[in-house]
């Protein structure tokens, strides 16, 4: 879904944040509150920065938190209430999504 949104065949694609967030809501329902908290904290800490430079650090921090939480859940084999079974598939999804989204934001 994220790759299709970012690289459509006949037009310019988006940056993938909204699509990846929607997929995370389904794949890892415990993460969206953490995502909002991390992104809000980074934006609040950078409130004096120019407007165009606030989003990229928030995306980087949120993607890093998603990778960290997915790794922890896969390693510890904790349950994923409200979502699919925890395991290496979600970790692979986290790595692939971060690999697609981050290059569009971090330059």
């Amino acid at each position: 879904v994220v790759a299709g949104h970012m690289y459509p065949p006949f037009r310019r694609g988006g940056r993938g944040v909204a699509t990846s967030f929607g997929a995370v809501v389904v794949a890892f329902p415990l993460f969206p509150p953490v995502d909002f908290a991390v992104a809000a904290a980074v934006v609040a800490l950078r409130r004096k920065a120019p407007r165009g430079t606030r989003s990229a650090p928030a995306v980087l921090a949120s993607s890093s938190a998603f990778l960290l939480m997915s790794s922890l859940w896969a390693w510890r084999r904790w349950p994923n209430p409200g979502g699919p079974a925890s395991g290496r598939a979600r970790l692979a999804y986290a790595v692939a999504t971060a690999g697609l989204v981050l290059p569009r934001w971090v330059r």
Side-chain angles (χ1 to χ4, degrees):
V1 171
V2 177
H5 170 73
M6 293 178 70
Y7 301 104
F10 300 111
R11 60 184 172 85
R12 183 171 174 231
R15 287 187 155 182
V17 172
T19 309
S20 64
F21 181 77
V24 164
V25 168
V26 173
F28 196 16
L30 297 174
F31 184 68
V34 174
D35 191 23
F36 278 126
V38 167
V42 171
V43 169
L45 289 172
R46 295 189 49 87
R47 68 175 173 238
K48 299 222 187 240
R51 282 200 189 264
T53 63
R54 292 183 197 168
S55 299
V59 171
L60 178 62
S62 293
S63 294
S64 299
F66 183 49
L67 286 170
L68 179 69
M69 283 185 68
S70 293
S71 300
L72 186 61
W73 256 252
W75 178 58
R76 302 291 298 185
R77 295 191 175 141
W78 288 339
N80 185 22
S86 292
R88 293 184 185 136
R90 186 180 52 230
L91 180 56
Y93 165 74
V95 170
T97 302
L100 284 169
V101 172
L102 287 176
R104 290 273 178 127
W105 285 90
V106 180
R107 293 185 180 129

